[in-house]
Amino acid sequence: MGFIHSRAAYYPNSDEHGTDVGACGFGSFGATINGGDVSAASDLYRNGVGCGDCYQVRCTNSHYCSDKGVTVVITDQGSGPNTDFILSRRAFGRMAQTKDAAASLLALGVVDIEYRRVSCSYPNKNITIKIDENSNYPYYLAFILWYQQGDKDITAVQLCETQNFVCKLCFF
């Protein structure tokens, strides 16, 4: 898949990692998944279907930026001035060639980028289903998928009762 041109900013009020909250419901885990290389996205969020998707993001300023860029995981929804991504400070700086170049990128605040969807890879991890804390209400179940490998979207899951094996298909 080819690269798409856009712009990226970073969370100015975060530490090196992403935020402890986010529209994807990852909570504090969202700030640490993928080593903290995380991002909010605008249209790529896709009403939550884009949560957990991975993207290679690289800035296009040849003076500061590396060719490799950084792989980020979508953990939140958000947008900035004509941007598709709002990266964690760590991820924003990792687009640079050197630590000095990273400081220069951070000083710019918003940079031109190119990005593409890539496979997520979590070595030694299996997909995990986390039951949301708000699922304590009768007849309400909310869950979040962690460590989804690959580059495909999960748009439905089938839940089955263990006693009578009655199943229901749930769509996202």
Side-chain angles (χ1 to χ4, degrees), residues 10 23 45 49 64 76 81 106 120 126 132 139 146 152 160:
Y10 68 93
Y45 174 75
V49 173
Y64 299 126
D76 197 2
L106 288 167
C120 294
N126 292 319
D132 188 273
Y139 310 107
W146 290 355
K152 303 294 185 225
C160 301

PDB file of all heavy atoms in Angstrom, residues 10 23 45 49 64 76 81 106 120 126 132 139 146 152 160:
ATOM      1  N   TYR A  10       1.396  16.555  18.064  1.00  0.00           N
ATOM      2  CA  TYR A  10       1.598  15.661  19.199  1.00  0.00           C
ATOM      3  C   TYR A  10       0.857  16.209  20.405  1.00  0.00           C
ATOM      4  O   TYR A  10       0.497  17.378  20.453  1.00  0.00           O
ATOM      5  CB  TYR A  10       3.082  15.435  19.513  1.00  0.00           C
ATOM      6  CG  TYR A  10       3.813  16.638  20.039  1.00  0.00           C
ATOM      7  CD1 TYR A  10       3.934  16.869  21.406  1.00  0.00           C
ATOM      8  CD2 TYR A  10       4.410  17.549  19.175  1.00  0.00           C
ATOM      9  CE1 TYR A  10       4.608  17.975  21.888  1.00  0.00           C
ATOM     10  CE2 TYR A  10       5.091  18.644  19.641  1.00  0.00           C
ATOM     11  CZ  TYR A  10       5.177  18.862  21.006  1.00  0.00           C
ATOM     12  OH  TYR A  10       5.842  19.958  21.477  1.00  0.00           O
ATOM     13  N   ALA A  23     -10.848   7.775  23.478  1.00  0.00           N
ATOM     14  CA  ALA A  23     -12.127   7.333  22.937  1.00  0.00           C
ATOM     15  C   ALA A  23     -12.174   5.827  22.697  1.00  0.00           C
ATOM     16  O   ALA A  23     -13.254   5.256  22.606  1.00  0.00           O
ATOM     17  CB  ALA A  23     -12.424   8.087  21.642  1.00  0.00           C
ATOM     18  N   TYR A  45     -10.172   6.978  12.861  1.00  0.00           N
ATOM     19  CA  TYR A  45     -10.831   6.429  14.050  1.00  0.00           C
ATOM     20  C   TYR A  45     -12.075   5.626  13.659  1.00  0.00           C
ATOM     21  O   TYR A  45     -12.352   4.589  14.245  1.00  0.00           O
ATOM     22  CB  TYR A  45     -11.197   7.577  14.995  1.00  0.00           C
ATOM     23  CG  TYR A  45     -12.009   7.174  16.184  1.00  0.00           C
ATOM     24  CD1 TYR A  45     -11.437   6.511  17.258  1.00  0.00           C
ATOM     25  CD2 TYR A  45     -13.371   7.464  16.240  1.00  0.00           C
ATOM     26  CE1 TYR A  45     -12.192   6.139  18.353  1.00  0.00           C
ATOM     27  CE2 TYR A  45     -14.133   7.107  17.337  1.00  0.00           C
ATOM     28  CZ  TYR A  45     -13.546   6.450  18.387  1.00  0.00           C
ATOM     29  OH  TYR A  45     -14.301   6.087  19.475  1.00  0.00           O
ATOM     30  N   VAL A  49     -13.992   1.639  15.022  1.00  0.00           N
ATOM     31  CA  VAL A  49     -13.477   0.465  14.296  1.00  0.00           C
ATOM     32  C   VAL A  49     -11.966   0.574  14.117  1.00  0.00           C
ATOM     33  O   VAL A  49     -11.259  -0.424  14.108  1.00  0.00           O
ATOM     34  CB  VAL A  49     -14.189   0.295  12.931  1.00  0.00           C
ATOM     35  CG1 VAL A  49     -13.556  -0.815  12.105  1.00  0.00           C
ATOM     36  CG2 VAL A  49     -15.669   0.006  13.142  1.00  0.00           C
ATOM     37  N   TYR A  64      15.351  16.644   9.139  1.00  0.00           N
ATOM     38  CA  TYR A  64      15.146  16.102  10.478  1.00  0.00           C
ATOM     39  C   TYR A  64      14.710  14.644  10.501  1.00  0.00           C
ATOM     40  O   TYR A  64      14.959  13.939  11.463  1.00  0.00           O
ATOM     41  CB  TYR A  64      14.061  16.897  11.219  1.00  0.00           C
ATOM     42  CG  TYR A  64      14.354  18.346  11.418  1.00  0.00           C
ATOM     43  CD1 TYR A  64      13.454  19.318  11.002  1.00  0.00           C
ATOM     44  CD2 TYR A  64      15.526  18.770  12.039  1.00  0.00           C
ATOM     45  CE1 TYR A  64      13.708  20.663  11.200  1.00  0.00           C
ATOM     46  CE2 TYR A  64      15.792  20.111  12.228  1.00  0.00           C
ATOM     47  CZ  TYR A  64      14.872  21.056  11.813  1.00  0.00           C
ATOM     48  OH  TYR A  64      15.128  22.375  11.998  1.00  0.00           O
ATOM     49  N   ASP A  76      -7.097   6.673  20.400  1.00  0.00           N
ATOM     50  CA  ASP A  76      -7.956   7.801  20.737  1.00  0.00           C
ATOM     51  C   ASP A  76      -8.467   8.450  19.455  1.00  0.00           C
ATOM     52  O   ASP A  76      -7.936   8.198  18.366  1.00  0.00           O
ATOM     53  CB  ASP A  76      -7.162   8.820  21.558  1.00  0.00           C
ATOM     54  CG  ASP A  76      -8.029   9.824  22.304  1.00  0.00           C
ATOM     55  OD1 ASP A  76      -9.267   9.737  22.229  1.00  0.00           O
ATOM     56  OD2 ASP A  76      -7.449  10.696  22.973  1.00  0.00           O
ATOM     57  N   PRO A  81      -4.841  20.977  13.617  1.00  0.00           N
ATOM     58  CA  PRO A  81      -4.945  21.801  12.413  1.00  0.00           C
ATOM     59  C   PRO A  81      -4.577  21.012  11.145  1.00  0.00           C
ATOM     60  O   PRO A  81      -3.414  20.757  10.895  1.00  0.00           O
ATOM     61  CB  PRO A  81      -3.973  22.955  12.663  1.00  0.00           C
ATOM     62  CG  PRO A  81      -3.090  22.504  13.773  1.00  0.00           C
ATOM     63  CD  PRO A  81      -3.812  21.434  14.524  1.00  0.00           C
ATOM     64  N   LEU A 106       9.854  18.532  17.705  1.00  0.00           N
ATOM     65  CA  LEU A 106       8.937  18.899  18.775  1.00  0.00           C
ATOM     66  C   LEU A 106       8.726  20.409  18.817  1.00  0.00           C
ATOM     67  O   LEU A 106       7.620  20.877  19.076  1.00  0.00           O
ATOM     68  CB  LEU A 106       9.447  18.383  20.122  1.00  0.00           C
ATOM     69  CG  LEU A 106       9.343  16.871  20.320  1.00  0.00           C
ATOM     70  CD1 LEU A 106      10.142  16.417  21.524  1.00  0.00           C
ATOM     71  CD2 LEU A 106       7.886  16.443  20.452  1.00  0.00           C
ATOM     72  N   CYS A 120      -0.081  -4.863  12.737  1.00  0.00           N
ATOM     73  CA  CYS A 120       0.311  -4.746  14.137  1.00  0.00           C
ATOM     74  C   CYS A 120       1.060  -6.015  14.530  1.00  0.00           C
ATOM     75  O   CYS A 120       0.716  -7.106  14.065  1.00  0.00           O
ATOM     76  CB  CYS A 120      -0.919  -4.606  15.028  1.00  0.00           C
ATOM     77  SG  CYS A 120      -1.856  -3.092  14.795  1.00  0.00           S
ATOM     78  N   ASN A 126      -1.097 -12.617  22.929  1.00  0.00           N
ATOM     79  CA  ASN A 126      -2.286 -13.130  22.263  1.00  0.00           C
ATOM     80  C   ASN A 126      -3.357 -12.053  22.310  1.00  0.00           C
ATOM     81  O   ASN A 126      -3.360 -11.208  23.215  1.00  0.00           O
ATOM     82  CB  ASN A 126      -2.813 -14.384  22.966  1.00  0.00           C
ATOM     83  CG  ASN A 126      -1.884 -15.551  22.817  1.00  0.00           C
ATOM     84  OD1 ASN A 126      -1.322 -15.774  21.747  1.00  0.00           O
ATOM     85  ND2 ASN A 126      -1.698 -16.298  23.892  1.00  0.00           N
ATOM     86  N   ASP A 132     -15.134  -4.121  29.832  1.00  0.00           N
ATOM     87  CA  ASP A 132     -15.153  -2.733  30.273  1.00  0.00           C
ATOM     88  C   ASP A 132     -15.755  -2.625  31.676  1.00  0.00           C
ATOM     89  O   ASP A 132     -16.689  -3.350  32.012  1.00  0.00           O
ATOM     90  CB  ASP A 132     -15.960  -1.903  29.276  1.00  0.00           C
ATOM     91  CG  ASP A 132     -15.856  -0.424  29.556  1.00  0.00           C
ATOM     92  OD1 ASP A 132     -16.663   0.065  30.371  1.00  0.00           O
ATOM     93  OD2 ASP A 132     -14.985   0.244  28.966  1.00  0.00           O
ATOM     94  N   TYR A 139     -27.880  -6.588  31.490  1.00  0.00           N
ATOM     95  CA  TYR A 139     -28.055  -6.695  30.040  1.00  0.00           C
ATOM     96  C   TYR A 139     -27.131  -5.777  29.238  1.00  0.00           C
ATOM     97  O   TYR A 139     -27.453  -5.378  28.138  1.00  0.00           O
ATOM     98  CB  TYR A 139     -29.522  -6.432  29.644  1.00  0.00           C
ATOM     99  CG  TYR A 139     -30.482  -7.236  30.462  1.00  0.00           C
ATOM    100  CD1 TYR A 139     -31.261  -6.635  31.436  1.00  0.00           C
ATOM    101  CD2 TYR A 139     -30.583  -8.615  30.278  1.00  0.00           C
ATOM    102  CE1 TYR A 139     -32.138  -7.382  32.205  1.00  0.00           C
ATOM    103  CE2 TYR A 139     -31.459  -9.371  31.039  1.00  0.00           C
ATOM    104  CZ  TYR A 139     -32.230  -8.744  32.000  1.00  0.00           C
ATOM    105  OH  TYR A 139     -33.087  -9.493  32.759  1.00  0.00           O
ATOM    106  N   TRP A 146      -7.533  -6.048  22.867  1.00  0.00           N
ATOM    107  CA  TRP A 146      -6.136  -5.643  22.958  1.00  0.00           C
ATOM    108  C   TRP A 146      -5.290  -6.632  22.175  1.00  0.00           C
ATOM    109  O   TRP A 146      -5.623  -7.802  22.046  1.00  0.00           O
ATOM    110  CB  TRP A 146      -5.651  -5.675  24.402  1.00  0.00           C
ATOM    111  CG  TRP A 146      -6.211  -4.627  25.310  1.00  0.00           C
ATOM    112  CD1 TRP A 146      -7.039  -3.583  24.983  1.00  0.00           C
ATOM    113  CD2 TRP A 146      -5.996  -4.524  26.713  1.00  0.00           C
ATOM    114  NE1 TRP A 146      -7.336  -2.855  26.096  1.00  0.00           N
ATOM    115  CE2 TRP A 146      -6.711  -3.398  27.172  1.00  0.00           C
ATOM    116  CE3 TRP A 146      -5.268  -5.273  27.616  1.00  0.00           C
ATOM    117  CZ2 TRP A 146      -6.703  -3.011  28.509  1.00  0.00           C
ATOM    118  CZ3 TRP A 146      -5.265  -4.885  28.945  1.00  0.00           C
ATOM    119  CH2 TRP A 146      -5.971  -3.762  29.384  1.00  0.00           C
ATOM    120  N   LYS A 152      -6.055  -6.309   9.605  1.00  0.00           N
ATOM    121  CA  LYS A 152      -7.474  -6.421   9.275  1.00  0.00           C
ATOM    122  C   LYS A 152      -8.315  -5.903  10.435  1.00  0.00           C
ATOM    123  O   LYS A 152      -7.937  -6.021  11.594  1.00  0.00           O
ATOM    124  CB  LYS A 152      -7.863  -7.873   8.984  1.00  0.00           C
ATOM    125  CG  LYS A 152      -7.053  -8.516   7.876  1.00  0.00           C
ATOM    126  CD  LYS A 152      -7.338  -7.862   6.542  1.00  0.00           C
ATOM    127  CE  LYS A 152      -6.608  -8.595   5.437  1.00  0.00           C
ATOM    128  NZ  LYS A 152      -5.943  -7.765   4.509  1.00  0.00           N
ATOM    129  N   CYS A 160     -20.919 -16.729  22.795  1.00  0.00           N
ATOM    130  CA  CYS A 160     -21.715 -17.937  23.029  1.00  0.00           C
ATOM    131  C   CYS A 160     -21.801 -18.228  24.523  1.00  0.00           C
ATOM    132  O   CYS A 160     -20.812 -18.090  25.243  1.00  0.00           O
ATOM    133  CB  CYS A 160     -21.095 -19.135  22.323  1.00  0.00           C
ATOM    134  SG  CYS A 160     -20.931 -18.926  20.546  1.00  0.00           S
TER     135      CYS A 160
END
